[in-house]
Each structure stands twice: as C-alpha cells, then as structure tokens.
Amino acid sequence: MAAAIGGEDKVLATAQRIVQSLGNTSDTDDMLLIFSAFDNRLSTLSSFVENPSAAAGEESSAIPSRFDDAERIILSHADSSSFPDDYLDAVDEIIQLTEELNLGSSDASEEVMERAENALQLAMTRLEDEFRHVLIRNTVPLDPDRLHRSTLSSSAAAIAIAATEFFNGDASESLEDVSSWRYSNHSHGRGVSFGGDDMSLELIHPDALTELGVIADRMIRSGYEKECCQVYCSVRRDVLEECMSILGVEKLSIEEVQKIDWKSLDDKMKKWIQAVKIVVRGLLSSEKHLCEQIFDGSDLIKEVCFLETAKGCVMQLLNFGEAVAIGRRSVEKLFRFLDMYEALAQVLPNLQALFMDEDAGDMVCKEAQGVLDGLGEAANATFVEFENAVQGEASRKPIQNAEIHPLARYVMNYAKLLGDYRNTLNLLLKNLEAETGESDRGDANNSELESMSPFARRLSALMMSLESNIEEKSKVYEDVAMQYIFLMNNILYIVQKVKDSELRNLLGDNWIRKRRGLIRQYATQYLRASWTKVLSCLKDEGIGGGSSNASKVALKERFKNFNACFEEIYRVQTSWKVPDPQLREELRISISEKVIPAYRSFMGRYGFWLLQEAMQLCLSAWCCNLLHRFVHAGSWDIHLTLNIDVRELLICVLLSVLRCRESPDTV
C-alpha cells in the first residue's frame, strides 16, 4: 500500500513538472484536460499553473514601489553633507532588492536590477565619503602629556661620553673629577611606565563607533569591502604616522642612521625606546580593538585592515633598530643597546599576539625577532669591546696626590650601571658562551667562578683586568710608599662600589674579603717603605753599648737623623691624599703603633743624656713654629700625625735645638 502511494506521488510530481515547463501556452490547457481525464486528482494542476503567474504579477508590481522610494532617497542626498534618518534604511532596501533580484531571470527583473545596481553604487560612493569624514572628524590626537615619559636620566649618557673621551685620550680636567653622585639618579625603571602590559588609548571618539560600524557593515554586505578597507587604512595610517612624529620617531634609512653623530643618535635612541612601548602596547593594541569594533561582522576584514594600518609604523621602528644594531660598535652605545634590547624584548610577546593571524603578520614578527637578535649581538660585542678597552688602557700619566684614577671611576660606574641589566646580560652572555664555547675568561678550574652566573663571571674578569691595570699604573710613581697609597685608594674605591651596589650579590662577600686583605697588605708595605728608615734611627746599633757609656756625639747624630727622616716624610707626604676617612684613621693608628713605642723606648734609654742641656735653652720662635707644625699635623691630607704627647713633642723640639747648636765641624 505504501509503495502504491509513493508511486502516485511520483506521478503527480512528474505531471507538475511537465505543466510548469509548458508555461502559459495553448498546449497547457490540452495537457491539463488529458491529465484530468486520466485521474481526477490531477485536475488540481490547473491551480498550480495559475497561482504562480498571479504571485509573479504581484511581486513585479511591488518591486518598483519599494525601489522607487529607496532610489529617490539615495538620489536626493547624493551630494548632501548629512544623512537623513531614513538614508541607511533606503540603502538596506536597495541591498535587499539586489539580493532578491539576483535570484530572478525575467526581463522585468533585469531592468530593475540595472537601476538597483546604479543606485547601490551611488549609495556606496556616498557611504565611502561619509566613512572617511567620520573617521577623520572623530580621530583623537595623541596627547604626549598623558604618557609617562622615561625616567632614564642622563647619567648613562654622561658616563658613556666620559668613558669614551677617556679611552680616546680626550678626558678633560673636569672629567677626571667625575664622581658617582652624578650617576646615582639612574633608575631601574628604564623606558615608559604603563602600570601594566597594555596602555589603553582612545583613538576615536566612542560616539562615532556605532556610525562607523553600520557604514562598514553595509559596504561589506554590498561587496564594497575593498573600498571600505582602503579608506580605513589610508586614514588610520596617516594618524599613526602623526603619532610617530609626536613621539619623535623619524623615517630614516639605514644609511642616514649610520651617518648621525653620537649625540644626536643617542637622543633618537632614547626616543625610540619610549616609542616602541607606546606604539606596541598603546597605539597598536588600541588600533586592534578599534578594528574589532568597527568590523565586527568579518574576522578576515578586521585582520586585514589592522595589518595594513599598523605594518608601516612597526617596520619604521624595526628599520631604525636594525640600522643601530648593524652600525659601528663603541663603548658609549652599550647602555643604549641594552635599553633598546630590553624595550623590544618586553613588547615582542604583545607584537606576536597582535600579528598572529596573517602570513604577513608572521613576517612582521620574524622581522622583530631578527632585530632583537641583532641588538643582542651588538650589546655583546660592545661589552667585549669595553672589556678589551679596560685591559688595554695604557695611559702613563701619574695622578696627582695618588688619588683615585679616572679609569677606576669610569669602570666602576659602568659596572654599577651594568648591574641593573644583570638579567638581560646573563641571557645575552649565556648565548655568547654557547656560541663561542667559553664558560669564563678566568680560571676554568675555579669552582667559585663555575658557580657564578655568566654576567658575574665576566664581571669578575673585568675586575681582574682593572686591578691589573691599576697595579701597572702604580709603577709610574718613583716613591714606593706613594705606590702603595695609590693602590690602597683605588682598590678600596673598587671594593666600596661593589659593596654598595648590586655588584655585591654578583661577586660575593668572599670577593670583598680578599680585596680588603689585599688593602691590608698594601698598608703594611706602605709602613715598611715609609718608616723603616725612621725606625732604624731608634736602634741601639752604633751608639756605643749601654746607656751609661753611649757616645754623646753618636747620640746627637742619631737624633739628628731621626728628625731629618721625619721632616722628609712630612715634606713629601703632606700632599698625598687618602679620601676614605676610615682608611685614613687606620693608617694613623698603624703608624702610631709602629713608631711611638720605638720612640718612647729609645727616649727612655738615652733621653736623659740630652735632657739637662736642652732644658736650659729658651724656645726660640723657630722652635715654637716647629712645635706648631707638629701639633697641627692633623691638617695634613694623609694625617700622618704620630699622636705623640706634648712631652715627647717637646723632646723632639729640644733635640732639634741641640742639632742647631752643634759646631760647624759636626754639622
């Protein structure tokens, strides 16, 4: 039974197709009579033929009415400066009519279709202009005052310039007086502060977003997505270029960058460091969000528009970074290389997230990674160049008063600032060691070095080079005692710089203890070089046995020699400087402990032989002046006062008087 019903349905369906193919011809009526005579159920086919014709007639009468209203609105506002409320509705009618007519094939539909397409083209031209005007009218300019400018002080640049002039032999008198306070304002927070990974910027007035969205939607539905994207990209590219100009980033070729003098290049590098964070985390992040809002209906279009809009300013930044990376490497550029590397490394994940959906976007990310690698190589090469410069600095001009050498100041201030980049340098130097097969530049068997981080190992080697160079420079002083004062001043300066900075955690307390032990050795050697001759005057040899039978002439000669040696130390060492008060006090104590007991012992044995004669003398003005010099010996820069009490000083003066009263034959 079911099979029979199915067969009847097929027959009916076949009859319907035959009638439909005949259309409104005379054969149709004859065919209907034949089918009706065959089976009464087929008589209903007559309604099938009549109803479609009626429906088609009704539709063809309704289409002109809908089209005329929409067409009239579009034509009447083709050149107007604003839209009426029903303009977009008219556009919607044209779009809908076009879609419907695309399904028909009658001659009447073709005539209406041509009018509809003309009206649609006119409407799209008008919408394209309006889209451009709304974008331009509602663009929010970048406000530099809203941005947190870099806290990077001029310290890095100042120390770089100072070191460059020093290594080039151009250091001036003022540069030799550079002290660490000039660099104390160097901030850990290099670059722009965002308070987070992204910086939200308002690029378009929010009130315009809805209007832009509905216009874009209609242009895309009408097949004018290419024109819509071109308008958007053209306007927004100009806006981003203006933002780059506000941030101080210029369009420069690689050749132009490499011809810029260092002072101007340093300024451009600082601006680049600021701009790369603002552009990626601020402008491009907001631009991506803007594309998503306006082109919400099409993922492909929103990605294409963003890529075409943003690619230009990103490549402008990357081209400058590449030009800097492949340019001449010199010591003064080290901190800027590191700043640029850190800035790009920080925003690279953001950049990859922004350009992850297109092949062209992948190209941008690969380009950024290449520039980052280039900056890292430049920083490594410059660091090695700095190490070599320290090791090979061969100036032989002695520093007046045995003070701290400019090389020690520059290197330690450099090292102190490099400590702020320890994480970046560890990464870069680790990669360098992997490439070269080096683990350190010192003793490879030293377990302490092997346990250090890559930067700490290189820092330790740098300190060794500096210490070796300082020791070599001490030999320019003819006075051996002055050599040890110079060594103490400089090694102590190095130790203090390490102790008071992040370098302490890198080099370790054991490194500091070893250098303090070295300073004590230098102090001992200074005492031996300065005071051995003085102390030899206080020995019994050559005086004539015990105190009872001592030669008075020999005794006078011994006191005379003692005073002469002491006066010579006073004359020579008065101008020497020991800047550190603690070291100065330790030297004072060491001298006292070495000289005072020997002097007291000698006076206890032989002083009474001369005391009676000396006490009979009146202290002349010369004696008073000499006493004044001894009492005020604390004004000496090196503070070599022996802390001898007044009685002992008086004895010294009296002995000097005796020396003056000696006969011409004995003088």
Side-chain angles (χ1 to χ4, degrees):
M1 183 67 178
I5 295 174
E8 292 173 358
D9 291 340
K10 290 181 180 179
V11 172
L12 182 61
T14 302
Q16 288 175 344
R17 284 196 295 273
I18 293 172
V19 172
Q20 185 179 6
S21 65
L22 292 175
N24 281 328
T25 64
S26 59
D27 295 333
T28 304
D29 295 335
D30 294 338
M31 187 60 65
L32 288 173
L33 289 174
I34 294 172
F35 284 147
S36 298
F38 179 75
D39 190 329
N40 290 331
R41 288 175 299 174
L42 296 178
S43 62
T44 58
L45 290 175
S46 60
S47 63
F48 172 79
V49 175
E50 295 172 359
N51 289 339
S53 299
E58 292 174 3
E59 182 179 350
S60 66
S61 64
I63 287 175
S65 176
R66 290 168 52 197
F67 173 71
D68 288 342
D69 294 339
E71 185 183 40
R72 184 176 60 256
I73 294 173
I74 290 173
L75 292 176
S76 62
H77 294 87
D79 298 322
S80 63
S81 59
S82 60
F83 287 156
D85 294 337
D86 55 354
Y87 188 88
L88 292 178
D89 293 335
V91 174
D92 289 337
E93 287 292 341
I94 296 294
I95 294 173
Q96 184 179 355
L97 179 60
T98 304
E99 292 173 349
E100 292 175 357
L101 293 176
N102 281 330
L103 301 176
S105 59
S106 64
D107 295 337
S109 296
E110 290 178 0
E111 179 183 353
V112 175
M113 183 66 179
E114 183 177 354
R115 292 175 59 195
E117 288 179 349
N118 290 335
L120 185 62
Q121 184 176 1
L122 186 63
M124 290 302 107
T125 302
R126 180 68 184 85
L127 287 180
E128 180 181 331
D129 291 339
E130 183 65 15
F131 191 65
R132 178 183 292 104
H133 292 153
V134 173
L135 277 172
I136 296 174
R137 224 173 25 240
N138 292 278
T139 295
V140 178
L142 183 66
D143 183 5
D145 294 335
R146 290 186 57 221
L147 305 175
H148 299 286
R149 286 297 183 183
S150 172
T151 56
L152 181 64
S153 70
S154 59
S155 60
I159 190 173
I161 293 172
T164 302
E165 293 181 351
F166 174 76
F167 288 125
N168 291 338
D170 299 329
S172 65
E173 187 79 19
S174 60
L175 285 174
E176 292 185 358
D177 295 330
V178 173
S179 57
S180 59
W181 71 266
R182 288 180 56 185
Y183 316 111
S184 62
N185 292 326
H186 182 73
S187 171
H188 290 271
R190 298 173 295 275
V192 179
S193 173
F194 287 92
D197 288 340
D198 294 315
M199 180 182 184
S200 179
L201 296 176
E202 188 178 273
L203 305 180
I204 295 287
H205 287 297
D207 296 341
L209 293 177
T210 302
E211 184 177 1
L212 290 169
V214 297
I215 294 176
D217 176 65
R218 283 157 177 79
M219 293 185 72
I220 294 170
R221 283 169 52 201
S222 303
Y224 284 76
E225 62 273 5
K226 181 179 179 180
E227 289 78 1
C228 184
C229 288
Q230 287 176 342
V231 171
Y232 180 87
C233 295
S234 175
V235 173
R236 294 307 304 167
R237 269 198 301 264
D238 291 343
V239 172
L240 291 181
E241 287 181 4
E242 183 179 352
C243 291
M244 296 284 281
S245 178
I246 291 174
L247 294 172
V249 180
E250 306 173 42
K251 283 186 176 180
L252 298 170
S253 66
I254 292 177
E255 293 76 14
E256 289 173 328
V257 171
Q258 294 181 349
K259 291 178 181 178
I260 300 174
D261 65 275
W262 163 240
K263 185 176 180 181
S264 299
L265 181 61
D266 179 61
D267 183 61
K268 294 183 186 301
M269 292 167 80
K270 287 191 291 184
K271 291 178 179 178
W272 186 94
I273 293 163
Q274 298 170 353
V276 73
K277 295 182 180 181
I278 295 173
V279 169
V280 176
R281 290 182 173 175
L283 291 176
L284 298 190
S285 178
S286 300
E287 189 68 42
K288 178 94 168 183
H289 184 58
L290 182 62
C291 286
E292 291 171 348
Q293 289 178 294
I294 295 177
F295 304 105
D296 183 52
S298 174
D299 291 338
L300 176 61
I301 292 177
K302 71 176 69 169
E303 291 299 333
V304 170
C305 284
F306 171 73
L307 178 63
E308 293 302 317
T309 301
K311 184 171 62 176
C313 66
V314 174
M315 294 308 298
Q316 183 179 340
L317 288 169
L318 295 180
N319 288 340
F320 180 83
E322 180 183 7
V324 169
I326 66 176
R328 185 179 65 88
R329 280 81 182 269
S330 54
V331 172
E332 72 270 17
K333 296 180 181 179
L334 178 55
F335 295 107
R336 290 290 177 250
F337 283 148
L338 291 170
D339 286 333
M340 291 178 69
Y341 180 91
E342 287 187 348
L344 186 55
Q346 289 170 12
V347 302
L348 186 59
N350 305 83
L351 204 60
Q352 291 169 338
L354 291 170
F355 291 94
M356 65 184 299
D357 297 326
E358 288 290 329
D359 292 339
D362 186 56
M363 179 272 293
V364 171
C365 295
K366 289 181 179 178
E367 185 74 18
Q369 184 64 56
V371 172
L372 182 66
D373 294 341
L375 289 170
E377 292 173 4
N380 272 336
T382 307
F383 185 80
V384 172
E385 184 174 328
F386 180 67
E387 291 176 317
N388 295 335
V390 172
Q391 193 172 12
E393 201 287 313
S395 63
R396 302 293 293 174
K397 180 181 178 181
I399 302 303
Q400 188 177 7
N401 306 327
E403 285 195 273
I404 299 165
H405 199 281
L407 178 65
R409 294 187 187 275
Y410 298 141
V411 172
M412 293 313 300
N413 285 319
Y414 249 97
K416 186 176 179 180
L417 292 181
L418 286 174
D420 294 340
Y421 300 87
R422 57 191 176 280
N423 294 332
T424 299
L425 285 168
N426 274 327
L427 176 63
L428 294 176
L429 293 173
K430 183 178 180 180
N431 295 337
L432 180 63
E433 290 175 358
E435 293 173 3
T436 60
E438 293 185 15
S439 61
D440 60 79
R441 298 180 66 177
D443 185 359
N445 297 320
N446 192 323
S447 59
E448 184 177 354
L449 284 177
E450 292 177 355
S451 65
M452 288 181 171
S453 65
F455 174 52
R457 285 196 294 270
R458 300 300 283 263
L459 182 64
S460 177
L462 180 65
M463 294 298 102
M464 289 176 61
S465 297
L466 175 60
E467 291 168 352
S468 176
N469 203 323
I470 290 296
E471 185 173 357
E472 190 66 27
K473 293 183 186 305
S474 70
K475 297 176 183 178
V476 301
Y477 299 102
E478 295 181 1
D479 192 321
V480 177
M482 195 175 191
Q483 293 181 13
Y484 293 121
I485 292 293
F486 175 79
L487 288 170
M488 279 189 286
N489 283 336
N490 282 271
I491 299 302
L492 180 60
Y493 176 81
I494 294 171
V495 169
Q496 288 173 333
K497 281 290 185 178
V498 171
K499 184 172 66 71
D500 298 336
S501 68
E502 183 61 30
L503 302 181
R504 179 172 191 164
N505 295 328
L506 294 168
L507 295 175
D509 291 336
N510 189 47
W511 185 93
I512 295 177
R513 283 193 294 271
K514 288 181 179 179
R515 271 63 191 176
R516 289 201 176 279
L518 186 62
I519 293 171
R520 286 192 293 270
Q521 292 179 23
Y522 290 148
T524 300
Q525 291 168 323
Y526 158 75
L527 291 173
R528 186 179 296 118
S530 287
W531 296 96
T532 298
K533 187 176 181 181
V534 174
L535 293 175
S536 67
C537 298
L538 302 178
K539 293 181 179 180
D540 294 338
E541 290 84 353
I543 294 180
S547 58
S548 58
N549 58 356
S551 169
K552 190 173 182 180
V553 174
L555 195 57
K556 286 184 178 181
E557 186 66 24
R558 186 64 57 84
F559 276 108
K560 176 182 176 182
N561 291 339
F562 173 83
N563 284 340
C565 291
F566 191 85
E567 289 268 342
E568 179 65 14
I569 291 175
Y570 170 82
R571 183 187 66 80
V572 172
Q573 299 188 13
T574 296
S575 62
W576 297 1
K577 292 184 181 297
V578 177
D580 183 73
Q582 183 177 349
L583 177 61
R584 201 162 56 232
E585 182 63 24
E586 289 174 357
L587 285 175
R588 204 188 277 130
I589 293 172
S590 297
I591 293 171
S592 298
E593 290 176 347
K594 197 172 186 68
V595 178
I596 295 298
Y599 181 80
R600 284 176 176 169
S601 175
F602 190 79
M603 286 298 296
R605 295 193 303 274
Y606 303 109
F608 66 95
W609 287 99
L610 302 174
L611 186 58
Q612 291 180 351
E613 182 178 358
M615 289 296 292
Q616 297 172 2
L617 300 174
C618 295
L619 293 177
S620 64
W622 178 88
C623 295
C624 292
N625 179 57
L626 184 61
L627 178 60
H628 177 78
R629 289 167 59 193
F630 273 89
V631 171
H632 291 279
S635 64
W636 301 351
D637 289 315
I638 198 171
H639 293 289
L640 288 178
T641 177
L642 299 182
N643 289 337
I644 306 175
D645 56 34
V646 176
R647 181 183 61 81
E648 290 165 339
L649 286 174
L650 180 59
I651 292 173
C652 290
V653 175
L654 296 177
L655 292 175
S656 298
V657 173
L658 292 176
R659 180 191 64 188
C660 294
R661 295 181 64 241
E662 290 177 350
S663 63
D665 296 336
T666 60
V667 175

